[in-house]
Amino acid sequence: MAPGLDFSNWWAKDTRKGTPVVVKIENPNYSVVEIDGPDAAFRPVEKSRGKNAKQLTWVLLLKAHRAVGCVASIATLLWALLGTIKRRLIFRQDVAMASEKLGKGKLLFAVIKVFLVTSLTILAFEVVAYLKGWHYFQNPSLHIPRTSDIQGLLHLVYVTWLSFRADYVAPPIQALSKFCVALFLIQSADRMILSLACFWIKYKKIKPTIEGDPFKSDDVEGSGYEYPMVLVQIPMCNEREVYGQSIFAVCQLDWPKDRLLIQVLDDSDDESIQCLIKAEVATWNQRGINIIYHHRLVRTGYKAGNLKSAMSCEYVQAYEFVAIFDADFQPNPDFLKQTVPHFKDNPELGLVQARWTFVNKDENLLTRLQNINLCFHFEVEQQVNGVFLNFFGFNGTAGVWRIKALEESGGWLERTTVEDMDIAVRAHLNGWKFIFLNDVKVLCEVPESYEAYRKQQHRWHSGPMHLFRLCIPAIITSKIATWKKANLILLFFLLRKLILPFYSFTLFCVILPLTMFIPEAELPVWVICYVPVFMSFLNILPAPKSFPFIVPYLLFENTMSVTKFNAMVSGLFKLGSSYEWVVTKKAGRLSESDLLAAAERESKTTNQLQIQRGASESEHTELNRLKEQREAAPTTVKRVNKIYRKELALAFLLLTASVRSLLSAQGVHFYFLLFQGVTFLLVGLDLIGEQMS
């Protein structure tokens, strides 16, 4: 059979060469084709020409071969996907997991499973309707057939579902979607205003400055009175990987030794880690550093209880300022000289906050996405609020407090897991002002595994809602200006801590998949595509090198809203997990300067040996016991990567919505959601399944 393709344009001339030939075959199994020149063989064959049984058989065999090949390819992909999932699953017999951890998230996972099964069932109805030719969902008016048009029981069920969907299911979803879209626009406007304010700060070059050089003096020895007494605290808990580098960095601070005291606040319950930290403190103490090891016998209140216990020591009364660094933070030697002078001649200033930078921001996709969020938080949110409002949430570390401000605000309280935000709000209600220094940067780490990141995000989103319940009476009855009260309640707590996770989860993880099989509640394209992309563009501006990750960032933030929404609800309604503190797992990454310093320390082995000889007998006993424990410790078994079923169920749900969008012939939705589903599924198999050690 001649192919139905026209290749006549391939020749430059229209003249025909050769002699016309007529071919006649008397065999009844073949058709007669008249060829008039070489071009005629490639012209379309008239559809009126008949096809015999043998031709139809070959055509059907060819189509069947192609179909079998397509099915085989799909089956191979599915088999490979299932094999990947099986390899990454944690088998219960190999990993001992506490029953509490197994029970976490069961309710949310059950809801997602029910939602997924429902969507698959409705999708099956849509597929059958599509194959049967019942294209009612393609028409905007959704024509419902009459009783005489009903074709069988299945058709009757489908038509009944259409009527029920239009009358009872679509209206509440439409109302909820309008409400969420309104919240989405309000939050987007807030984000836009913050970005414009940041551009204004950059344009006008507005930043806190220090007049002159407060430490300049011809007589260096006689200028000690100009240095205020500073207390440096390093709270930690079982920080085996990072305790050494944080203590080393703090001991390098450029400040007179007689006016500086370092407190290592160790809350570790592992005796081997306690011995390591004690030995490290003893080493630096022998070098002339004024450093103290502090350990609580009663470990209550998490980090807030640790800081409260340290501030209750009698010798703290002699100090005017306190700098706080978490165990993975590595300040530069000039940190105190860049921060403490801002307090001079500014008695209303209670806090100076520095910016975080991350030594492992390029470690994997997860760290890159976190870097985008945190860069926007510091560059835009903290800087704008610090310049225009003199208030922002304390980040819990890399900041210097005036001790008087802490004491007048009630000190550290153990009532929430966000003690940093708690003390900042109470200090703001007492009239203290804050300064954010975007140019002063402190190195730290971001979580490299999804499990650590998810637990951190749960604490960061449940704690503020719990704090809001406790602080709302104090905010209303405080003596600050009304606009400051409105800013605290409406913007700081409600809009950025409650509304953001609520609409993100409801709009993009619930309503958006629902609209794929409930077209009456369809969302506008600008809601699901244009505005989110534009807002993601604004979020990524402070980290311009992360522009290649803008699409994964947008998709990952939408799906992460499940964890944030769950945390927000637990904090708002004071559920059990709202007061759960899990220490973020650290990897102990070192910067180039740290590596050079470590090499320098290795070159001074003689001095270290002399210092160790000068240690007390008890310290030698602890070190010997630690060595024995290391030798007797069993070999650590490498744990298998694990899958997070909630996230993968949500990913499959988005893929289901994409298939439904394909059937409804809505191209924009299909390509957007298909890419979203596939991308997040890959993230679920690779990023979310980060290797747990």
Side-chain angles (χ1 to χ4, degrees), residues 432-600:
W432 292 98
K433 296 181 179 180
F434 303 162
I435 284 180
F436 177 76
L437 302 179
N438 192 53
D439 296 333
V440 181
K441 302 177 181 180
V442 182
L443 277 176
C444 62
E445 290 186 21
V446 288
E448 296 182 6
S449 68
Y450 179 74
E451 183 177 15
Y453 174 67
R454 188 179 65 171
K455 291 177 180 178
Q456 182 193 69
Q457 292 298 307
H458 185 278
R459 176 165 55 86
W460 285 4
H461 287 81
S462 64
M465 285 296 96
H466 187 196
L467 178 63
F468 178 64
R469 290 169 51 97
L470 300 173
C471 284
I472 187 66
I475 296 174
I476 295 175
T477 59
S478 65
K479 297 180 181 180
I480 62 175
T482 304
W483 69 270
K484 291 184 178 181
K485 295 180 182 180
N487 173 69
L488 267 178
I489 296 175
L490 299 179
L491 294 181
F492 186 77
F493 279 112
L494 291 182
L495 182 60
R496 297 166 188 166
K497 303 298 188 296
L498 188 147
I499 290 177
L500 177 58
F502 170 76
Y503 88 76
S504 297
F505 170 75
T506 308
L507 188 63
F508 294 105
C509 294
V510 177
I511 296 178
L512 184 58
L514 279 175
T515 57
M516 294 302 100
F517 46 81
I518 304 180
E520 297 91 342
E522 179 182 353
L523 293 172
V525 177
W526 58 269
V527 172
I528 64 174
C529 185
Y530 301 146
V531 175
V533 169
F534 178 72
M535 299 313 299
S536 299
F537 177 79
L538 288 181
N539 289 356
I540 212 169
L541 279 179
K545 293 183 180 180
S546 301
F547 268 103
F549 307 101
I550 185 171
V551 174
Y553 168 74
L554 171 63
L555 307 180
F556 186 71
E557 281 300 300
N558 286 342
T559 49
M560 268 303 297
S561 60
V562 177
T563 298
K564 298 177 181 179
F565 177 79
N566 184 26
M568 183 269 294
V569 171
S570 67
L572 185 62
F573 296 101
K574 205 175 179 180
L575 303 180
S577 59
S578 63
Y579 199 69
E580 178 186 28
W581 183 293
V582 179
V583 179
T584 305
K585 182 70 174 178
K586 313 293 193 314
R589 304 289 180 183
L590 295 175
S591 62
E592 293 182 3
S593 60
D594 296 324
L595 294 175
L596 293 175
E600 183 180 354

Side-chain angles (χ1 to χ4, degrees), residues 120-139 142-143 145 151-162 165 516-517 519 660 663-664:
L120 288 174
T121 304
I122 298 176
L123 176 62
F125 270 107
E126 299 288 2
V127 171
V128 173
Y130 182 82
L131 296 177
K132 293 287 186 178
W134 308 332
H135 305 311
Y136 308 122
F137 51 82
Q138 289 184 353
N139 301 325
L142 287 177
H143 168 67
Q151 305 173 5
L153 178 61
L154 184 59
H155 196 185
L156 176 62
V157 173
Y158 180 69
V159 172
T160 304
W161 156 246
L162 288 180
R165 184 181 74 186
M516 294 302 100
F517 46 81
R660 172 59 183 84
L663 295 179
S664 60

